[in-house]
Amino acid sequence: MRAVDIIIKKRDRGELSREEIDFFVQGFTRGEIPDYQVSAWAMAVLLNGMTARETTDLTLSMAHSGQVLDLSGIVEVAVDKHSTGGVGDKTTLAVLPIVAACGLPCGKMSGRGLGFSGGTLDKLESIPGYRVDLTTEEFKTQLKEIGIVLTGQSLDLAPADGKLYALRDVTGTVQSMPLIASSIMSKKLAAGATAIVLDVKTGLGAFMQSLEEARQLAALMTSIGELAGRKVKTLLSDMNQPLGFAVGNVLEVQEAIDALHGKGPEDFREHCLEASAHMLALGGRAANLESGRRMAEGAVKNGSAFEMFRKLVAAQGGDVSYVDQPGKMAKARLVEPVPSPESGCLSQIHARIIGEAAVELGAGRAKKGDTVDHAVGFMILRKVGEKVQSGEPLFVVHANDVGRLAAAKKAVLAAHQSSAAPVPPLPLFYEH
Ligand code: URA
């Protein structure tokens, strides 16, 4: 077999066999198929799609490109969550400690920013010393000892996804349903998850813009998970406007810490409690969603969720003083509030434009290997449906460069639209 023939077959809308997919994935993982061929192939997949069978084969091949963890001797139920990606989505940072504090151990491997959407690892690295490169052995030991792990994909787990993820980020090939489904599910299968909550985002700042596409992605991932014998729950949530206020690495970690103290923006807190309740119910720790919800609320109220976050940071080498005093984290040199140019009811706060503007500020990557500026980003202060008066603050830009600040201000102002007529607020969730 030759990689070029597989690229040509997909370019010409052919259906790849399991053997062809496996040849390609394993060759890429071993470094025998170069980045430029994989980029061309990813673009062909993005343009021409894959059947459900091809996507399942791709997922299994990526999951088996390295070790596949078996956590059965370590935890009773290996519960995991994953978001399909969005703007201001720092949910994992709050949900994992909440769930672990309720007595359901949680070990998760997260990713870096992808396109306009932020990544949990980049956020966590805002905490000096925090290690995101645990080995598989360290992952297992920490999960057993403290019941929470939040790390990057270790080199020996689904390495094919690790490599493909970094390439997709910089080749315009993120927005492909089979590539997203296989990326997420290969990681979940390799990491040994037996119960998986998938937060599928839909809207302007999501990879799946319509509810129908989000449903298709949810169904595809559910079927891959169930075929592999896992329990899967999917939530379809809104990503038309950023979640919470903060967009940008340090700002998002600070907001997640606020949520663990029961503070901060209500939409984000509510989202976290709901996602936690689903994990607790799916993982069998709560009898049903309502009791999961009560447990999650209790863990925030009694401080155990915050304490669990501290434990996590300490276990992974992070400086806990930054968790206790989040204001110590890196600050941008230029912090500028931007007032609303008009009065009206906010009708749109375009999450994707804001995510792209954050990348332009330096919060994400323009090319593979770029370093991110943890301090920069936005606080988007208002929500769709709220009334604003001309001159009231709409958002705050945190920047380290005058030119980039001006460009970001312009872009984020354009992302806000208002109308004279009342506009209903956006829902948090559409269905599950
Ligand atoms: N999250 C992932 O892990 N992979 C994707 O492709 C998109 C979101």
Side-chain angles (χ1 to χ4, degrees), residues 127-379:
I127 302 173
Y130 191 98
R131 279 184 59 206
V132 296
D133 60 351
L134 298 195
T135 62
T136 306
E137 277 319 303
E138 287 173 318
F139 181 98
K140 285 184 177 171
T141 309
Q142 188 175 316
L143 186 60
K144 195 175 176 125
E145 284 177 358
I146 64 166
I148 185 166
V149 189
L150 187 44
T151 182
Q153 209 167 332
S154 74
L155 289 180
D156 45 2
L157 284 190
D161 177 60
K163 295 180 85 175
L164 186 55
Y165 194 91
L167 265 190
R168 286 168 56 215
D169 187 24
V170 290
T171 55
T173 51
V174 172
Q175 241 123 328
S176 149
M177 203 176 298
L179 294 183
I180 295 174
S182 55
S183 163
I184 293 177
M185 294 310 288
S186 64
K187 284 194 279 270
K188 303 295 102 178
L189 301 186
T194 51
I196 307 161
V197 172
L198 296 170
D199 184 5
V200 180
K201 305 280 183 201
T202 176
L204 298 168
F207 297 129
M208 298 296 113
Q209 305 231 326
S210 72
L211 193 54
E212 197 36 52
E213 281 177 315
R215 282 195 189 114
Q216 281 175 29
L217 177 62
L220 185 58
M221 292 195 291
T222 305
S223 95
I224 294 171
E226 289 179 352
L227 271 175
R230 320 295 162 108
K231 285 203 277 184
V232 184
K233 177 94 196 179
T234 50
L235 320 178
L236 299 193
S237 64
D238 182 73
M239 190 33 78
N240 283 294
Q241 62 185 348
L243 185 59
F245 295 158
V247 179
N249 300 295
V250 161
L251 299 173
E252 293 193 43
V253 176
Q254 292 171 336
E255 191 163 274
I257 293 173
D258 277 349
L260 289 170
H261 288 304
K263 298 186 192 137
E266 198 191 325
D267 64 329
F268 175 57
R269 264 188 295 128
E270 178 58 31
H271 186 95
C272 290
L273 292 171
E274 197 64 16
S276 302
H278 279 284
M279 284 179 79
L280 290 164
L282 192 72
R285 181 76 189 146
N288 52 40
L289 214 50
E290 291 69 43
S291 92
R293 171 76 192 213
R294 280 195 301 277
M295 287 168 86
E297 284 171 358
V300 172
K301 224 179 231 156
N302 67 21
S304 57
F306 173 69
E307 204 40 53
M308 191 53 89
F309 187 63
R310 286 186 95 246
K311 264 195 195 165
L312 166 74
V313 171
Q316 292 191 212
D319 183 341
V320 182
S321 69
Y322 286 80
V323 178
D324 294 334
Q325 301 156 60
K328 274 176 68 173
M329 283 182 221
K331 287 182 193 59
R333 277 187 303 112
L334 311 163
V335 178
E336 189 174 318
V338 179
S340 175
E342 57 193 1
S343 299
C345 193
L346 285 169
S347 55
Q348 187 174 88
I349 306 175
H350 201 301
R352 185 192 180 121
I353 295 178
I354 294 171
E356 285 168 351
V359 173
E360 285 294 310
L361 270 184
R365 293 175 188 77
K367 60 184 189 317
K368 206 172 141 183
D370 276 358
T371 50
V372 300
D373 183 344
H374 290 99
V376 300
F378 308 105
M379 293 300 281

